[in-house]
Amino acid sequence: MELNVYLAGEIHSSWRQDLKEAAKNRNLPLHFTGPMENHDRSDDIGEEILGTMPTSILKDEAASSINNLRTQILLQKADVVIALFGETYKQWNSAMDAATAIALQKPLILIRPEKLHHPLKELANKAQVVVETPEQAIQALSYVFEEE
Amino acid sequence: MELNVYLAGEIHSSWRQDLKEAAKNRNLPLHFTGPMENHDRSDDIGEEILGTMPTSILKDEAASSINNLRTQILLQKADVVIALFGETYKQWNSAMDAATAIALQKPLILIRPEKLHHPLKELANKAQVVVETPEQAIQALSYVFEEE
Amino acid sequence: MELNVYLAGEIHSSWRQDLKEAAKNRNLPLHFTGPMENHDRSDDIGEEILGTMPTSILKDEAASSINNLRTQILLQKADVVIALFGETYKQWNSAMDAATAIALQKPLILIRPEKLHHPLKELANKAQVVVETPEQAIQALSYVFEEE
Amino acid sequence: MELNVYLAGEIHSSWRQDLKEAAKNRNLPLHFTGPMENHDRSDDIGEEILGTMPTSILKDEAASSINNLRTQILLQKADVVIALFGETYKQWNSAMDAATAIALQKPLILIRPEKLHHPLKELANKAQVVVETPEQAIQALSYVFEEE
Amino acid sequence: MELNVYLAGEIHSSWRQDLKEAAKNRNLPLHFTGPMENHDRSDDIGEEILGTMPTSILKDEAASSINNLRTQILLQKADVVIALFGETYKQWNSAMDAATAIALQKPLILIRPEKLHHPLKELANKAQVVVETPEQAIQALSYVFEEE
Amino acid sequence: MELNVYLAGEIHSSWRQDLKEAAKNRNLPLHFTGPMENHDRSDDIGEEILGTMPTSILKDEAASSINNLRTQILLQKADVVIALFGETYKQWNSAMDAATAIALQKPLILIRPEKLHHPLKELANKAQVVVETPEQAIQALSYVFEEE
Amino acid sequence: MELNVYLAGEIHSSWRQDLKEAAKNRNLPLHFTGPMENHDRSDDIGEEILGTMPTSILKDEAASSINNLRTQILLQKADVVIALFGETYKQWNSAMDAATAIALQKPLILIRPEKLHHPLKELANKAQVVVETPEQAIQALSYVFEEE
Amino acid sequence: MELNVYLAGEIHSSWRQDLKEAAKNRNLPLHFTGPMENHDRSDDIGEEILGTMPTSILKDEAASSINNLRTQILLQKADVVIALFGETYKQWNSAMDAATAIALQKPLILIRPEKLHHPLKELANKAQVVVETPEQAIQALSYVFEEE
């Protein structure tokens, strides 16, 4: 039994690499997906496919339609979603992905520094598990497969 | 035919009043619900019911469980959701409510200043309608009832 | 027991009036909804709310987001959908509304001139009832309430 | 991770071949399905299985029941749907397939010449991505798998 | 709180009258619906609306599409379904209505003479309650409202 | 806006009366339902309707089918479920009702003495709110309606 | 792409063998499941597992619970359901399986002799395809895979 | 066709081993999952991942969030659920898992000693099959695959 894990959230640090490595070290049967991590490409993908747009809003709309295509397809395939919130950026699309997972009855593991607890309290309350590090998230998933 | 409208988002300005007034001026059959708008009470409601908590995180958890009870009940009753994002605050619970509405196939009207378009672009792309003012949101709902 | 009936389809003839009259003559407890029937307003509603758009495609996108808001809200409230196809126009939004009703497990009554049967054959096969006139559609709904 | 892609729409041009080739050139793990592309066979399949029908309407009904069987089975298996609209034909079954995909929460990529935007505006608004060529549709799907 | 009760099954005896009277005697807040009980009208309704059909099979198809419209609308409105099977007739549409109720997660009360238990055993096993008389079915529904 | 509240759990104390009174004191628009509180009647209802059973297991099966009919109908109507666990009895049907509410995405308010936390910990984790007294449960529901 | 096909209906003739052979002759990627075809075993399975029952009704109840376990598991796995009705027997469980498939949005292929059309007319109207022989049912499924 | 079977219930006896062995002896294509069977680890898993908690209630909350993550993931993957109730312990999480399976329309096989029938009667009534031993549960699953 392999699990599909969607990694929502911040794309400006190496947390996904840390997390994948932690999974690999434990030989866990996890298959990871997530958003485009190259921020520039994620911003430009609309124009890359549809051509130059006359305004930055239209550029954003074109990009977001392709980014949402990616997210919708991969989220539907996911058995569990992990979302990491950092201290910078608004990360409203991360909150959107996390809430969508919950509404689709897919369990959410939330990773956040303790100091973000207050603004994230409603999302934390809906998450199935709340941790502070990618390593802890992988420990939780490892437990799903352990027998003793 | 009356519609239930859940007003998600920022609780620090008077936008809900503006919006309700706009609806009243047009005699629209809309029934509005939303989160607790008294910010302190929203933060304290857990302790109000369950007693003093030993840490601020536990206070937050107690409060968020009651706030989410309110949101879940009222969101289930809603026919349409309006979410307003302002320029201050992280507003992750607003993003959560908006995304939950979409996942439950309830149409979302997003109100945001144009300058927030970039960080909100994925949510805007999922919203059914994107406007900049409460008055415009009410115009859109008014159109649902108009015959010519 | 009152039924909500969404009237999808062509907005260039008076079929909705004929149909409502037929329902009234029989004193049927039916509440009708449908799209904006004023074609110009339906095309202009986006600019009416959001202001003038730089291109006709953007004008269309703005309008369609408001028209779809209306349809989504009213279709969710409907117990049954009636869709009429005429011989002119492409009517792809009518086909979209009809198919959405079916996918949401709401029964569809399709009204079409017999000569349109070939291009409509797949939709006709999915409809619960296929008739040629609004009067026949009302006869079918009347039967739902009759006791002998 | 392989994706099932249902190719709805026009069966009179070679667009499906172009699209499959574009996918093959990029080595994408896509499995394509779609309607019967031989138009005559699609019209005759009812009589082929059930025998000659007394009228052309009954011939159409027999054929559409088999065509819809095919579509229903393949659409249920699809992770994403691509629909192409051309300038000729009524294509109401294409609109039906596209709308069904949306209602089933499967993302839709709409391919259409820009000049069809007005009659397709409501469907375009519901689509996750709107492009003009099969190559662009494949670029969008390719992006789902890309890592940088 | 009023309950909608759909009365599926045999239309050749007066069981629905007995049942409605039993409900009335107890002043239960039940609203009853069901199929057309006039057998001839139920067989002829297709031709009544659509005109004379060339074959008896086509007459049956026309009639069944209208009868199923009625059932689908009323079953969607029902909170609970009661189905009575008698010893004559094949009653496959009664079995269809009963099974549809179960699949839609609406509780089924099955009324049948004990001697029909063997052929009905799989349906009886899926029913929430199995009784032998309309009076017993009403006793079960009465219990839903009783406080001691 | 009135809410339907199903009161699952222990039927041997007067907690439902306390809770209803607390709601009445606050003039809350709540409509309460729940299981049969007369324990003997709840055990005997199968035989009351279906006649004497040859064994106590068959008596139990007959009774449970009628009790579950009541629960299924009332739970479907509920907007929110309150479940109280006491220190005596196994209360497996209370746990069943509580878990069913959660799986149907209806929010659960769990009332339990603190000393039962350990055996109830998985259910408590799934509940939206956990309190110790009926008064606290009503405070939480009151908050849903409060404006400041 | 392999399809799971559940073969509901009569277990007293060799139609399932004919149908499987027809599929094999065409090399179709179909995996067939269905009910226990040994009628005696199907009647006795409850007692086989649970021991002798005191009455024939209890024997039937025990057997039907195991038969329904089988059907529920296999029907959930099915992509399409084929149901055959013969001229003997009441076949209410076949009607139940067929209706369950439809309610779960799985397409139904109905096989029946033309002379059964009248009593099966409501079920035939809900089926996606109606044929008279197993060979025709396989032709319809073969068409799902054909490319020209 | 392999089936995923979730084994809910008591973790203090060797019933899961007995059951897996019975399945192995019959070469059944069953893949078993279940909760953590090491009771201490199940109680401590929250602290193991998140660190020492200040109170036993918080320790329980941390542990239950991880245990529920495991259950939610594995229950979603399950085709059928087996739940065993023993005579000791409150087993409210077992009742929760069993009821969740039923609400998700996954068939439940309940294993319990006959003497527990009374307190389990409502759950037994909702279960698809009720047996007394693991061997009987495997016999029931074996029957799903048998052909004569």
Side-chain angles (χ1 to χ4, degrees):
Chain A
M1 182 182 290
E2 199 190 56
L3 296 182
N4 285 315
V5 187
Y6 186 84
L7 302 176
E10 190 184 81
I11 61 175
H12 302 87
S13 70
S14 64
W15 72 275
R16 282 183 185 80
Q17 282 328 108
D18 301 348
L19 191 143
K20 286 175 189 173
E21 215 143 306
K24 207 174 170 183
N25 290 343
R26 291 163 181 266
N27 280 317
L28 297 177
L30 302 175
H31 178 250
F32 295 103
T33 59
M36 166 55 63
E37 292 177 60
N38 177 333
H39 194 163
D40 286 348
R41 184 124 196 265
S42 157
D43 279 356
D44 297 340
I45 184 64
E47 292 194 330
E48 182 183 319
I49 295 178
L50 296 164
T52 311
M53 296 285 150
T55 69
S56 65
I57 286 208
L58 290 172
K59 177 185 170 176
D60 278 355
E61 285 189 5
S64 63
S65 78
I66 314 285
N67 285 318
N68 281 345
L69 173 73
R70 178 176 175 138
T71 309
Q72 188 178 357
I73 290 174
L74 298 177
L75 217 49
Q76 297 270 19
K77 292 277 190 192
D79 298 302
V80 56
V81 172
I82 298 176
L84 179 143
F85 282 77
E87 293 181 51
T88 342
Y89 306 102
K90 297 194 175 292
Q91 306 170 88
W92 286 324
N93 52 352
S94 305
M96 180 175 83
D97 294 351
T100 303
I102 293 164
L104 296 177
Q105 308 220 15
K106 296 173 192 278
L108 174 71
I109 299 175
L110 178 65
I111 311 176
R112 55 108 191 81
E114 194 177 296
K115 72 168 58 160
L116 282 183
H117 191 271
H118 188 67
L120 274 173
K121 68 180 187 298
E122 274 79 24
L123 193 54
N125 174 260
K126 285 281 190 185
Q128 184 53 56
V129 172
V130 181
V131 298
E132 292 182 37
T133 66
E135 170 67 21
Q136 289 172 322
I138 286 300
Q139 276 181 278
L141 284 181
S142 177
Y143 180 72
V144 175
F145 297 99
E146 292 167 20
E147 305 221 334
E148 58 189 278
Chain B
M1 182 182 290
E2 200 190 52
L3 296 182
N4 285 316
V5 187
Y6 186 83
L7 302 176
E10 192 184 82
I11 61 174
H12 302 85
S13 70
S14 64
W15 72 275
R16 282 183 185 80
Q17 283 327 107
D18 301 348
L19 191 144
K20 286 175 189 172
E21 215 141 306
K24 205 174 171 184
N25 290 342
R26 293 165 180 264
N27 280 318
L28 297 178
L30 302 175
H31 178 251
F32 296 103
T33 59
M36 167 55 62
E37 292 176 60
N38 178 334
H39 194 165
D40 286 348
R41 183 123 197 267
S42 158
D43 278 357
D44 298 340
I45 184 63
E47 292 194 329
E48 182 184 318
I49 295 178
L50 297 165
T52 310
M53 296 286 149
T55 70
S56 65
I57 285 207
L58 289 173
K59 176 185 170 176
D60 278 354
E61 285 189 5
S64 63
S65 79
I66 313 286
N67 285 319
N68 280 345
L69 173 73
R70 178 175 176 139
T71 309
Q72 188 178 358
I73 290 174
L74 298 178
L75 216 49
Q76 297 270 21
K77 291 276 190 196
D79 298 302
V80 56
V81 172
I82 298 176
L84 179 142
F85 283 76
E87 293 180 50
T88 341
Y89 307 102
K90 295 195 176 291
Q91 306 170 88
W92 286 323
N93 51 354
S94 306
M96 181 175 82
D97 294 349
T100 303
I102 292 165
L104 297 177
Q105 307 220 18
K106 294 173 192 280
L108 174 72
I109 299 175
L110 178 66
I111 310 177
R112 55 107 190 81
E114 194 178 297
K115 72 170 57 158
L116 281 183
H117 192 271
H118 189 67
L120 273 173
K121 68 181 188 297
E122 273 80 24
L123 193 53
N125 174 260
K126 285 281 191 185
Q128 184 53 55
V129 173
V130 181
V131 298
E132 292 182 34
T133 67
E135 171 67 22
Q136 289 172 322
I138 287 300
Q139 276 182 278
L141 283 181
S142 177
Y143 180 73
V144 174
F145 297 99
E146 291 167 20
E147 304 220 335
E148 58 190 277
Chain C
M1 180 182 288
E2 198 190 56
L3 297 181
N4 285 315
V5 187
Y6 186 82
L7 302 176
E10 192 184 78
I11 61 174
H12 302 85
S13 69
S14 64
W15 73 275
R16 282 183 184 80
Q17 282 328 106
D18 301 348
L19 191 143
K20 286 174 190 173
E21 215 141 306
K24 206 174 171 184
N25 290 343
R26 292 164 181 264
N27 280 316
L28 297 178
L30 302 176
H31 178 250
F32 296 101
T33 59
M36 168 55 63
E37 292 177 60
N38 177 332
H39 194 165
D40 285 347
R41 185 122 195 268
S42 157
D43 278 357
D44 297 341
I45 184 64
E47 293 195 328
E48 183 184 317
I49 295 178
L50 296 165
T52 310
M53 296 286 151
T55 68
S56 64
I57 285 207
L58 290 172
K59 176 185 169 176
D60 278 354
E61 285 189 5
S64 63
S65 78
I66 314 286
N67 285 319
N68 281 345
L69 173 73
R70 177 175 178 139
T71 309
Q72 189 179 356
I73 291 173
L74 298 178
L75 216 49
Q76 297 270 22
K77 292 277 190 193
D79 298 301
V80 57
V81 172
I82 298 176
L84 178 143
F85 283 75
E87 293 181 49
T88 339
Y89 307 103
K90 295 196 176 290
Q91 306 170 88
W92 285 325
N93 51 353
S94 305
M96 181 175 83
D97 295 349
T100 303
I102 293 165
L104 298 177
Q105 307 220 18
K106 295 174 192 281
L108 174 72
I109 300 175
L110 177 66
I111 311 177
R112 54 106 191 83
E114 194 177 297
K115 70 169 60 159
L116 282 183
H117 191 271
H118 189 67
L120 274 172
K121 68 180 187 297
E122 273 80 23
L123 193 53
N125 174 261
K126 285 281 191 185
Q128 184 53 57
V129 172
V130 181
V131 297
E132 292 183 36
T133 67
E135 171 66 23
Q136 289 172 321
I138 287 301
Q139 276 181 277
L141 284 180
S142 176
Y143 180 72
V144 174
F145 298 99
E146 292 167 20
E147 305 221 334
E148 58 190 274
Chain D
M1 181 182 289
E2 199 189 55
L3 297 182
N4 285 315
V5 187
Y6 186 83
L7 302 176
E10 190 184 81
I11 62 175
H12 303 85
S13 69
S14 64
W15 73 275
R16 283 183 184 80
Q17 280 330 107
D18 300 348
L19 191 144
K20 286 175 190 175
E21 215 143 305
K24 206 174 171 186
N25 290 342
R26 291 162 180 264
N27 279 318
L28 297 178
L30 302 175
H31 179 251
F32 296 103
T33 59
M36 168 54 64
E37 292 177 61
N38 178 333
H39 194 163
D40 285 348
R41 186 126 193 262
S42 156
D43 279 357
D44 297 341
I45 183 63
E47 293 195 328
E48 183 183 319
I49 295 178
L50 296 165
T52 310
M53 295 286 151
T55 70
S56 65
I57 285 207
L58 290 173
K59 176 185 169 177
D60 278 353
E61 285 189 4
S64 64
S65 78
I66 313 286
N67 285 318
N68 281 345
L69 173 73
R70 177 175 177 142
T71 308
Q72 188 178 358
I73 290 174
L74 298 178
L75 217 48
Q76 297 270 20
K77 292 278 190 191
D79 297 301
V80 55
V81 171
I82 298 176
L84 178 143
F85 282 76
E87 294 181 50
T88 341
Y89 306 102
K90 297 196 175 288
Q91 305 170 89
W92 287 324
N93 51 352
S94 305
M96 181 175 83
D97 294 349
T100 303
I102 293 164
L104 297 177
Q105 306 220 15
K106 295 173 191 280
L108 174 72
I109 300 175
L110 178 65
I111 310 177
R112 55 106 191 84
E114 194 178 295
K115 72 169 59 159
L116 282 184
H117 191 271
H118 188 67
L120 274 173
K121 68 180 188 297
E122 274 78 24
L123 193 54
N125 174 260
K126 286 281 191 184
Q128 183 52 57
V129 172
V130 181
V131 297
E132 292 183 37
T133 67
E135 171 66 22
Q136 290 172 320
I138 286 301
Q139 276 181 277
L141 284 182
S142 177
Y143 180 72
V144 175
F145 297 99
E146 292 168 19
E147 304 220 335
E148 58 191 279
Chain E
M1 181 182 290
E2 199 190 54
L3 297 182
N4 285 317
V5 187
Y6 185 82
L7 302 176
E10 192 185 80
I11 61 175
H12 302 86
S13 71
S14 64
W15 72 276
R16 283 184 183 78
Q17 281 329 106
D18 302 348
L19 191 144
K20 286 174 190 173
E21 216 142 303
K24 208 176 170 183
N25 290 343
R26 291 163 181 264
N27 280 318
L28 297 177
L30 302 175
H31 178 251
F32 295 103
T33 58
M36 167 54 64
E37 292 177 60
N38 178 333
H39 194 164
D40 285 347
R41 185 126 194 263
S42 157
D43 279 355
D44 297 341
I45 184 63
E47 292 195 330
E48 182 183 319
I49 295 179
L50 296 165
T52 310
M53 296 286 152
T55 69
S56 65
I57 285 207
L58 290 173
K59 177 185 170 176
D60 278 353
E61 286 189 3
S64 63
S65 78
I66 314 286
N67 285 318
N68 281 345
L69 173 73
R70 177 176 178 141
T71 309
Q72 188 178 356
I73 290 173
L74 298 178
L75 217 48
Q76 297 269 21
K77 292 276 189 193
D79 298 301
V80 56
V81 172
I82 298 176
L84 179 142
F85 282 76
E87 293 180 49
T88 340
Y89 306 104
K90 296 196 176 288
Q91 306 170 87
W92 286 324
N93 52 352
S94 305
M96 180 174 83
D97 294 349
T100 302
I102 293 164
L104 298 177
Q105 306 220 17
K106 295 173 192 280
L108 175 72
I109 300 174
L110 178 66
I111 310 176
R112 55 106 191 83
E114 194 177 296
K115 70 169 61 159
L116 281 184
H117 192 270
H118 188 67
L120 274 173
K121 69 179 186 297
E122 273 79 22
L123 193 53
N125 174 261
K126 286 281 191 184
Q128 183 53 55
V129 172
V130 181
V131 297
E132 292 183 36
T133 68
E135 171 66 23
Q136 290 172 320
I138 286 301
Q139 276 181 278
L141 284 181
S142 177
Y143 180 73
V144 174
F145 298 98
E146 292 167 20
E147 305 221 333
E148 59 191 275
Chain F
M1 181 183 290
E2 199 190 54
L3 296 182
N4 285 316
V5 187
Y6 186 83
L7 302 175
E10 193 184 78
I11 60 175
H12 302 86
S13 69
S14 64
W15 72 276
R16 283 184 184 79
Q17 281 328 107
D18 301 347
L19 191 145
K20 287 174 190 173
E21 215 143 304
K24 207 174 169 184
N25 290 342
R26 292 164 181 264
N27 279 318
L28 297 177
L30 302 175
H31 178 251
F32 295 102
T33 58
M36 168 53 64
E37 293 177 60
N38 177 333
H39 194 165
D40 286 348
R41 184 123 197 266
S42 158
D43 278 356
D44 297 340
I45 183 64
E47 292 195 330
E48 182 183 318
I49 295 178
L50 297 165
T52 311
M53 295 285 152
T55 70
S56 65
I57 286 207
L58 289 173
K59 177 185 170 176
D60 278 354
E61 285 189 4
S64 63
S65 78
I66 314 284
N67 285 318
N68 281 346
L69 173 73
R70 178 175 177 139
T71 309
Q72 187 177 359
I73 290 174
L74 298 177
L75 216 49
Q76 297 270 21
K77 292 277 189 193
D79 297 303
V80 57
V81 171
I82 298 176
L84 179 142
F85 282 76
E87 293 181 50
T88 340
Y89 306 103
K90 296 195 175 290
Q91 306 168 86
W92 286 324
N93 51 352
S94 305
M96 181 175 83
D97 294 349
T100 302
I102 293 164
L104 297 178
Q105 308 220 19
K106 296 173 192 278
L108 174 72
I109 300 174
L110 178 65
I111 311 176
R112 55 108 191 81
E114 195 177 295
K115 72 169 60 161
L116 281 184
H117 192 271
H118 188 68
L120 273 173
K121 68 181 188 297
E122 274 79 24
L123 193 53
N125 174 261
K126 286 280 190 185
Q128 184 53 55
V129 172
V130 181
V131 298
E132 292 184 36
T133 66
E135 171 67 22
Q136 289 171 321
I138 286 300
Q139 275 181 279
L141 284 182
S142 177
Y143 180 71
V144 174
F145 298 98
E146 291 168 20
E147 305 220 334
E148 58 190 277
Chain G
M1 180 182 290
E2 198 190 55
L3 297 181
N4 285 316
V5 186
Y6 186 83
L7 303 176
E10 189 185 81
I11 60 173
H12 303 84
S13 70
S14 65
W15 72 275
R16 283 183 184 79
Q17 281 330 105
D18 301 348
L19 191 145
K20 287 175 189 173
E21 214 142 306
K24 205 173 172 186
N25 291 342
R26 291 165 181 261
N27 280 316
L28 297 178
L30 303 175
H31 178 252
F32 295 101
T33 59
M36 167 55 64
E37 292 177 60
N38 178 332
H39 194 164
D40 285 347
R41 185 123 195 265
S42 157
D43 278 357
D44 297 341
I45 184 64
E47 293 195 329
E48 182 184 318
I49 295 178
L50 297 164
T52 310
M53 296 286 151
T55 69
S56 65
I57 285 208
L58 290 173
K59 177 185 170 176
D60 278 353
E61 285 188 5
S64 63
S65 78
I66 314 285
N67 285 319
N68 280 345
L69 173 72
R70 177 175 178 142
T71 308
Q72 188 178 357
I73 290 174
L74 298 178
L75 217 48
Q76 297 269 21
K77 293 276 190 193
D79 298 301
V80 56
V81 171
I82 298 176
L84 179 143
F85 283 76
E87 293 181 49
T88 341
Y89 307 103
K90 297 198 175 288
Q91 305 170 88
W92 286 324
N93 52 352
S94 305
M96 181 175 83
D97 295 350
T100 303
I102 293 165
L104 298 177
Q105 306 219 16
K106 295 173 192 280
L108 174 71
I109 300 175
L110 178 65
I111 310 177
R112 55 106 191 84
E114 196 178 295
K115 70 170 60 161
L116 282 183
H117 191 271
H118 189 68
L120 274 173
K121 68 181 188 296
E122 274 78 24
L123 193 53
N125 175 260
K126 286 280 191 185
Q128 184 52 57
V129 172
V130 181
V131 298
E132 292 183 37
T133 67
E135 170 67 23
Q136 289 172 321
I138 287 300
Q139 275 182 278
L141 284 181
S142 176
Y143 180 73
V144 174
F145 298 99
E146 292 168 20
E147 304 220 336
E148 60 189 277
Chain H
M1 181 183 289
E2 199 190 54
L3 297 181
N4 285 315
V5 187
Y6 186 83
L7 301 177
E10 191 185 81
I11 60 174
H12 302 86
S13 69
S14 64
W15 72 275
R16 283 184 185 79
Q17 282 328 107
D18 301 349
L19 191 143
K20 286 174 189 172
E21 215 142 305
K24 205 174 172 184
N25 290 343
R26 293 166 180 262
N27 280 316
L28 297 178
L30 302 175
H31 178 252
F32 295 102
T33 59
M36 167 55 63
E37 291 176 62
N38 177 334
H39 194 164
D40 286 347
R41 183 123 197 265
S42 157
D43 278 357
D44 298 340
I45 183 64
E47 292 194 329
E48 181 184 319
I49 295 178
L50 297 164
T52 310
M53 296 285 149
T55 68
S56 65
I57 285 209
L58 290 172
K59 176 185 169 176
D60 278 354
E61 285 189 4
S64 63
S65 78
I66 314 285
N67 285 319
N68 281 345
L69 173 73
R70 177 176 176 139
T71 309
Q72 188 178 357
I73 290 174
L74 298 178
L75 217 49
Q76 296 271 19
K77 293 276 190 194
D79 298 302
V80 56
V81 172
I82 297 176
L84 179 143
F85 283 76
E87 293 181 50
T88 341
Y89 307 103
K90 297 196 175 291
Q91 306 170 87
W92 286 323
N93 51 352
S94 305
M96 180 175 82
D97 295 349
T100 303
I102 292 164
L104 297 177
Q105 307 219 16
K106 294 171 193 280
L108 174 72
I109 300 175
L110 178 66
I111 310 177
R112 55 106 191 83
E114 195 177 296
K115 72 169 57 160
L116 282 183
H117 191 271
H118 189 67
L120 274 173
K121 68 180 187 296
E122 274 79 24
L123 193 53
N125 174 261
K126 285 280 191 186
Q128 184 53 56
V129 172
V130 181
V131 298
E132 293 183 34
T133 68
E135 171 67 23
Q136 289 172 322
I138 286 300
Q139 276 181 278
L141 284 181
S142 177
Y143 179 73
V144 174
F145 297 99
E146 292 167 20
E147 305 220 335
E148 58 190 276

